[in-house]
Amino acid sequence: MATRAYQAERYSRVAIAFHWTIAALVIFNIAVGLGHDPIPALRAMMPAHKAIGLTVLALTALRVTWRLAHRPPPLPADTPGWERGAAHATHWTLYLLLVALPLSGWAMVSGPQGRRPLSWFGAFDLPYLPVTSPAAEGAAKAHGLLGWVMLALVLLHVAAALHHHLVLRDRVLARMLPGA
């Protein structure tokens, strides 16, 4: 019976796989996306950055579908209301960014002025979105800004998880760790 209660406190294996796969891809893309101007060696990774962004978009669609059909484990009963609200707002903002960042990047490279190649790891080319030059320029500005917002939210998310683990010593982080 204790094993069943423990399982109810954990995220499913599918949710854990989505979380850590998307997290690794997002961290790579943040590093390349925000670092390719100051670190010229990262510019060579931009085709992978684009392909990974589109992969994140597809995985996010699957993850949100999974999430809507499978409730996450509840937060600890003693979690204050403001903290619950902040956790939910942060998670849904992360989901929004996981869609908005790839779409804004796709729109940015789709502008009629200066189209850039868009390939999924060289396996096949993706179509361009039907955007105008002003829309592509706006998408480029949004993409850069959203990248910084994503970095801030990822750092906040990691800090909150570590706070739960190291300070509060509850199981909030452990329930998302593979094999924990």
Side-chain angles (χ1 to χ4, degrees), residues 27-45:
I27 290 167
F28 174 86
N29 263 13
I30 288 172
V32 173
L34 297 178
H36 76 278
D37 279 337
I39 305 169
L42 292 179
R43 289 185 194 134
M45 297 180 153

Side-chain angles (χ1 to χ4, degrees), residues 104-132:
S104 63
W106 195 352
M108 175 177 68
V109 301
S110 294
Q113 303 295 327
R115 279 193 170 164
R116 298 174 211 136
L118 188 57
S119 166
W120 193 75
F121 299 107
F124 56 87
D125 291 338
L126 284 111
Y128 294 109
L129 297 177
V131 297
T132 62

Side-chain angles (χ1 to χ4, degrees), residues 17 22 26 40 43 50 56 60 73 78 82 97 99 106 116-117 132 136 139 150 152 159 163 165 177-178:
I22 292 171
V26 165
R43 289 185 194 134
K50 292 180 221 175
V56 166
T60 299
D78 60 346
W82 71 267
L97 288 171
V99 172
W106 195 352
R116 298 174 211 136
T132 62
M150 177 64 90
H163 176 74
H165 190 70
L177 292 176

